[in-house]
Amino acid sequence: MPLPIAARLARWAAALTLLSATWASASNDMVTDFTLDNGMQVVVIEDHRAPVVVHMVWYKAGAADETPGVSGVAHFLEHLLFKATDTLESGELSKTVAENGGTDNAFTSHDYTGYFQRVAADRLGLMMSMEADRMRNLRLTEEDILTERQVIIEERNQRTENSPQALFGEQANAAQYLNHRYGVPIIGWRHEMETLGLEDALAYYERYYAPNNAILVVAGDVTPEEVDRLAREHYGPIPPNPDLPDRARPQEPPQTAERRLTYSDPRVAQPYVSRSYLAPERDPGDQETAAALVMLSEELGGGQTGYLTEKLVFEDKTALYTSAYYRGQSLDDTTFGLYIVPAEGVSLPDAEAALDATLARFLEDGVDAEKLDRIKMQIRASQVYERDNVERLARRYGSALTQGLTIEDIQAWPDLLQQVTEEDILDAARSVLNRRNAVTGYLMAADPAPQPAATSATPEVSQ
């Protein structure tokens, strides 16, 4: 039998009180940071519940820091760092990690490149010695280049060329950014990947792989004193790069015209409409707008209870699926986006018209205060649960710090999300949902026959 409304409300209140108390006692992670003499920042996150440690080195360089003409070189170099060094054979680092019962991997984004190992806490010194070795002592051959270049091209084949959704997204992203390198895919444009050579990889390596461009994050069963001692022993002797360039990318000019594209591919099983808007990112000491945009994405696209789903899927039955997203953590201007998958018999233009009409209706209806409270509680719960995973904690700090935020910004973020008001969300929506800085795309199965314009005129959500 369902609980009475009063009982359910009491249970929600009790859960919120418990989460609030949990967060209050853990709002500041056990974080210590310091900087080595060579400029390397070190962040220690203590968690002594299990004798495990996550060791991560983050470089403040990613695909957006590449020189034009060699797209994909940041990701290419990530692969090459598992080759030989002065003291390690090719593949020996990963083999050593596995032999010690651990796991390792690496990743590349537009803003950073990271390498990590998860091992028993007493193996931390060994991990540092190997990671420090490949920071400056990489030894590449032409054979390495030929072999690994084929690997990344095949990766592009599998992840991008074989996916019409990925190809469509790549084109839409390129249209979104008129000047910034965020418009270039992280894996690279294929024609440039095919010509990547030894000199390209080494030039990127020599420029960016240095302690004064790196952040060491160690999370788990460690103490700051232990990490300090080991970091000074293994990373301390590496000289900084005195010629490290300033991190200044080409910025976006004012965007004053909407861009539109259609992408047809016979492999498409389900057509859909996408819309992305240029949006502000989280900035150091200035994260309030970003927090409001997070809440806007949850209000509009938060699963089965999102405003778009309620209106377009359940009420109007215009759509099969809707979603919203905001990529707030970014060094430079980012995007806020929407998707709508039309219901059977609904054309893409009519689905787009319904989406725009529903966005305009959202601005008129305003934010449901009860739903906002529920979203805040769900976010707070996920943040509390995240503390059970030291790798997630390490990633949270590493990614934010390489994207220009500070430890104070990271720790202030949960409270900023809780402070967002209904009016903050509406202000953010009015500011960002502007068709002049938007890219609207249609993904379809085949070239469409000429279609009339959407039958009903709908207001645009723009200023």
Side-chain angles (χ1 to χ4, degrees), residues 136-153:
R136 295 309 293 169
N137 298 323
L138 189 62
R139 295 294 173 260
L140 298 177
T141 66
E142 288 291 351
E143 183 179 354
D144 293 331
I145 296 298
L146 294 175
T147 302
E148 215 58 39
R149 187 170 62 200
Q150 193 55 44
V151 169
I152 63 170
I153 289 173

Side-chain angles (χ1 to χ4, degrees), residues 65-134:
D65 299 291
E66 296 166 341
T67 302
V70 291
S71 63
V73 71
H75 174 249
F76 187 33
L77 181 60
E78 175 214 309
H79 280 242
L80 292 169
L81 238 70
F82 291 87
K83 301 299 183 180
T85 70
D86 283 351
T87 63
L88 296 171
E89 297 294 331
S90 182
E92 185 178 350
L93 187 149
S94 293
K95 180 182 177 183
T96 302
V97 173
E99 289 174 345
N100 281 271
T103 58
D104 75 315
N105 214 326
F107 43 84
T108 305
S109 83
H110 276 116
D111 292 328
Y112 54 74
T113 309
Y115 303 84
F116 74 92
Q117 302 87 34
R118 182 185 176 96
V119 294
D122 62 358
R123 301 295 192 274
L124 178 58
L126 176 61
M127 298 303 107
M128 285 195 188
S129 68
M130 294 190 296
E131 198 65 74
D133 183 35
R134 68 175 172 178

Side-chain angles (χ1 to χ4, degrees), residues 188-202:
W189 297 117
R190 186 187 181 100
H191 70 285
E192 294 183 347
M193 295 170 65
E194 291 172 342
T195 64
L196 290 174
L198 180 60
E199 290 185 2
D200 300 320
L202 289 178

Side-chain angles (χ1 to χ4, degrees), residues 195-218:
T195 64
L196 290 174
L198 180 60
E199 290 185 2
D200 300 320
L202 289 178
Y204 191 94
Y205 178 70
E206 295 294 338
R207 183 180 303 120
Y208 294 119
Y209 279 54
N212 54 324
N213 198 45
I215 300 172
L216 170 64
V217 180
V218 180

Side-chain angles (χ1 to χ4, degrees), residues 175-179 252-257 259 277-278 436-439:
Q176 179 71 78
Y177 289 97
L178 304 176
N179 196 44
E252 281 298 291
Q255 295 191 358
T256 58
R259 281 129 287 156
Y277 305 84
L278 199 67
R436 291 194 297 270
N437 62 17
V439 175

Side-chain angles (χ1 to χ4, degrees), residues 352-420:
E352 181 190 356
L355 174 64
D356 285 328
T358 306
L359 291 174
R361 184 177 170 186
F362 171 76
L363 290 179
E364 293 175 359
D365 289 348
V367 176
D368 184 314
E370 183 178 343
K371 182 187 294 184
L372 179 58
D373 287 341
R374 185 169 65 249
I375 290 171
K376 288 181 177 181
M377 189 180 76
Q378 291 168 344
I379 289 175
R380 174 160 287 183
S382 69
Q383 290 165 342
V384 171
Y385 298 146
E386 183 186 53
R387 296 178 56 80
D388 287 333
N389 188 316
V390 291
E391 185 177 327
R392 286 186 184 178
L393 276 176
R395 282 180 176 269
R396 174 149 63 93
Y397 279 85
S399 61
L401 292 170
T402 53
Q403 292 177 307
L405 299 174
T406 66
I407 289 176
E408 291 74 23
D409 293 322
I410 299 165
Q411 295 185 341
W413 180 244
D415 287 337
L416 289 176
L417 290 173
Q418 298 300 316
Q419 294 165 11
V420 172

